[in-house]
Amino acid sequence: MEKKIYYFENPGKQNTDKLIELAKERAGELGIKNIVVASVSGETTLKVAEQIKDVNLVSVTHHAGFREKGKLELDPQKQEELTKLCIPVYTSSHALSGVGRGISNKFGGVTPVEVMAETLRMISQGVKVCVEISIMAADAGLIPTGEEVIAIGGTALGADTAVVLTPAHMNSVFDLRIHEIVAMPRP
Ligand SMILES: Cc1cc2nc3c(=O)[nH]c(=O)nc-3n(C[C@H](O)[C@H](O)[C@H](O)COP(=O)(O)O)c2cc1C
């Protein structure tokens, strides 16, 4: 089987539109019905919603307190637009840092889950994000674990990576399977 991977020259938000075009094409080819998007402000998910119809779209944000104690980073206006479109916006502890980050912040060192995250970042920030948000959305019951989905992530802002994967819950995380990389920045 021959498949294409689209490589962006540089990571970042400028790749978002092309990334969405590629994800749409691959979702159509594979008949994928669920797409999970990392979107801190809601902006990237709204762009995906404009371009990709007839799928179950799920938006995952940073947890409250990621940047500032008690504060959510989701843009309230974008949240309203997402609500109007019936797109669930999910906020929870990050699957690939979680309490582990609290432990390493306090005591130093590193926890196994942070090693997992850094290992996935050897491929790209976005691949780490795709795996993480898939676990989070699966644990929220918002995407299935028994079928292939597309996950979309980026490097800090926007989207530059799309992956076809079968999600898993955090208590069986190594059942997660990455099937295809649709696009990513070339390291
Ligand atoms: C749960 C979560 C974890 C994230 N982790 C990282 C990360 O480790 N590295 C990174 O560069 N971006 C990370 N991001 C940012 C996303 O990949 C993406 O670029 C961003 O959410 C897009 O937000 P926007 O729609 O506001 O532009 C993360 C986002 C979320 C929601």
Side-chain angles (χ1 to χ4, degrees):
M1 182 194 308
E2 230 179 305
K3 291 264 184 176
K4 276 193 207 152
I5 301 178
Y6 189 99
Y7 291 103
F8 295 110
E9 274 183 40
N10 295 297
K13 186 177 176 166
Q14 71 282 1
N15 302 311
T16 303
D17 291 344
K18 180 68 183 172
L19 190 278
I20 294 170
E21 183 190 314
L22 294 162
K24 180 180 180 177
E25 197 180 298
R26 193 68 58 96
E29 283 167 16
L30 296 173
I32 284 181
K33 293 274 163 278
N34 296 275
I35 298 186
V36 57
V37 184
S39 191
V40 173
S41 65
E43 183 179 329
T44 305
T45 306
L46 283 170
K47 284 188 181 165
V48 174
E50 267 173 35
Q51 299 301 322
I52 312 182
K53 312 283 180 199
D54 301 325
V55 292
N56 172 40
L57 195 56
V58 174
S59 191
V60 179
T61 71
H62 274 164
H63 67 83
F66 184 84
R67 298 244 173 262
E68 207 184 322
K69 255 189 188 175
K71 290 265 168 7
L72 281 168
E73 295 164 73
L74 183 63
D75 178 330
Q77 205 180 321
K78 296 200 165 52
Q79 182 173 20
E80 213 179 296
E81 288 176 53
L82 289 164
T83 306
K84 273 190 200 143
L85 294 169
C86 299
I87 295 169
V89 177
Y90 183 64
T91 307
S92 184
S93 305
H94 293 189
L96 294 183
S97 54
V99 169
R101 182 164 291 161
I103 294 171
S104 51
N105 280 345
K106 183 150 182 89
F107 301 107
V110 66
T111 55
V113 75
E114 293 169 291
V115 174
M116 285 174 69
E118 213 47 38
T119 306
L120 289 165
R121 288 193 180 103
M122 289 167 74
I123 311 171
S124 81
Q125 291 284 339
V127 167
K128 172 263 179 189
V129 174
C130 288
V131 168
E132 183 163 48
I133 60 170
S134 302
I135 299 164
M136 291 165 71
D139 281 350
L142 294 168
I143 54 170
T145 54
E147 62 184 88
E148 297 182 13
V149 311
I150 285 186
I152 294 178
T155 310
L157 291 171
D160 59 21
T161 303
V163 167
V164 179
L165 55 76
T166 297
H169 293 299
M170 78 183 163
N171 60 4
S172 53
V173 66
F174 292 110
D175 289 343
L176 187 147
R177 285 290 170 271
I178 298 177
H179 304 289
E180 299 177 15
I181 293 172
V182 179
M184 59 177 260
R186 193 175 185 281

